[in-house]
Amino acid sequence: MLELRDLVKHYPAVGGEPVRAVDGVSLSVAPGEMVALYGPSGSGKTTLLLMVAALLEPTSGSVFVNGRDISSLSEREASTFRLSEMGFVRQNFDLLPGVTAIDNAVLKLLKDTRWREAHRRVQPLLERLGLGGRLEHRAETLSMGERQRVMIARALSSEPRLLLADEPTGSLDSQRSREVLELLRELCREREVAVVLVSHDPQAAAYADRVLALRDGKLTSYDPEQGFAPAGSK
């Protein structure tokens, strides 16, 4: 489903060596498989996800999704790919103010789906995420955790074959975190979605099929003795 081949992203640095944000990463993720990726802040995790999402061009290497090299897509092709084939739960909450939770959740579907049908498809997801009683509440009245769950519902609304999740439980308490991770795992299995989950949440490892680490731009085996907290935290 997803295959990264020697993926590299370097940034130029004034008067020094280039910053090696991602430095030769190769990885395969099968349909129905969830891979959790840990690493300190600045290790290249978000940069890696942005390249997989065709939002950032690699310095070298390739990203294949269903056998297609998406790292070479045009801007228009990449936009279509993100709308129809991929779900991306990002750290920022890109919700429209003054718009209800369910209307925010259906935005990906409105290009080719009628409003009523989009609501019908998304409401069960929102209910499974514990938002059944908040469907008509405006975005600005939702808690941070509720906003994050709306973003998860939006990402899953188009039934993507690939889901990228950047700290999807970062604003949730431990109980909600478990519920979201359980839902992601269930949907991964039910729909044969390939999931790449970037997290500092220690609970995520228990739900993943594989757990890896990214340090200094390189993919390595994960050592729980190194801890889950971001670099510089106490």
Side-chain angles (χ1 to χ4, degrees):
M1 176 58 194
L2 172 65
E3 184 179 359
L4 311 183
R5 297 182 185 174
D6 199 23
L7 201 60
V8 172
K9 184 63 179 179
H10 292 174
Y11 294 100
V14 178
E17 290 290 321
V19 176
R20 301 173 183 273
V22 175
D23 198 19
V25 169
S26 295
L27 173 68
S28 294
V29 184
E33 182 181 24
M34 180 185 289
V35 173
L37 185 60
Y38 288 97
S41 296
S43 62
K45 303 185 305 298
T46 296
T47 298
L48 181 66
L49 290 189
L50 290 174
M51 288 191 286
V52 175
L55 287 165
L56 184 64
E57 185 177 353
T59 302
S60 63
S62 302
V63 178
F64 287 87
V65 177
N66 276 335
R68 180 172 57 152
D69 185 359
I70 61 96
S71 52
S72 61
L73 296 179
S74 68
E75 186 173 334
R76 183 172 183 176
E77 289 170 335
S79 178
T80 300
F81 162 73
R82 287 189 292 271
L83 277 173
S84 61
E85 299 180 49
M86 188 201 76
F88 195 178
V89 183
R90 304 181 69 171
Q91 291 190 46
N92 60 311
F93 303 138
D94 187 21
L95 299 183
L96 298 178
V99 176
T100 64
I102 191 167
D103 286 342
N104 264 292
V106 301
L107 291 178
K108 280 187 71 177
L109 299 177
L110 296 181
K111 180 181 178 181
D112 54 14
T113 306
R114 292 182 181 275
W115 200 274
R116 183 176 297 179
E117 173 63 15
H119 275 222
R120 187 192 67 79
R121 288 172 58 179
V122 167
Q123 184 170 338
L125 271 176
L126 289 168
E127 290 172 348
R128 289 179 73 175
L129 286 161
L131 293 172
R134 305 287 281 171
L135 301 180
E136 301 300 329
H137 288 248
R138 296 190 306 274
E140 59 270 26
T141 70
L142 302 175
S143 70
M144 295 296 284
E146 288 170 337
R147 295 179 195 185
Q148 193 152 27
R149 283 177 276 155
V150 172
M151 293 300 299
I152 291 169
R154 182 193 293 175
L156 292 168
S157 65
S158 60
E159 299 187 1
R161 299 299 305 278
L162 172 64
L163 178 70
L164 308 178
D166 194 356
E167 300 287 357
T169 61
S171 296
L172 306 180
D173 60 34
S174 59
Q175 176 60 32
R176 284 297 185 196
S177 292
R178 286 193 296 272
E179 292 171 359
V180 165
L181 290 167
E182 286 173 2
L183 175 62
L184 290 178
R185 185 173 66 177
E186 287 173 12
L187 291 170
C188 173
R189 301 288 194 272
E190 290 172 11
R191 302 181 181 182
E192 294 194 322
V193 180
V195 179
V196 179
L197 169 69
V198 163
S199 184
H200 288 119
D201 185 350
Q203 297 187 96
Y207 294 90
D209 298 293
R210 281 189 289 157
V211 184
L212 301 169
L214 192 67
R215 291 185 178 276
D216 300 321
K218 294 183 179 297
L219 201 63
T220 66
S221 58
Y222 176 69
D223 180 1
E225 295 300 320
Q226 294 180 357
F228 295 88
S233 63
K234 301 292 185 180

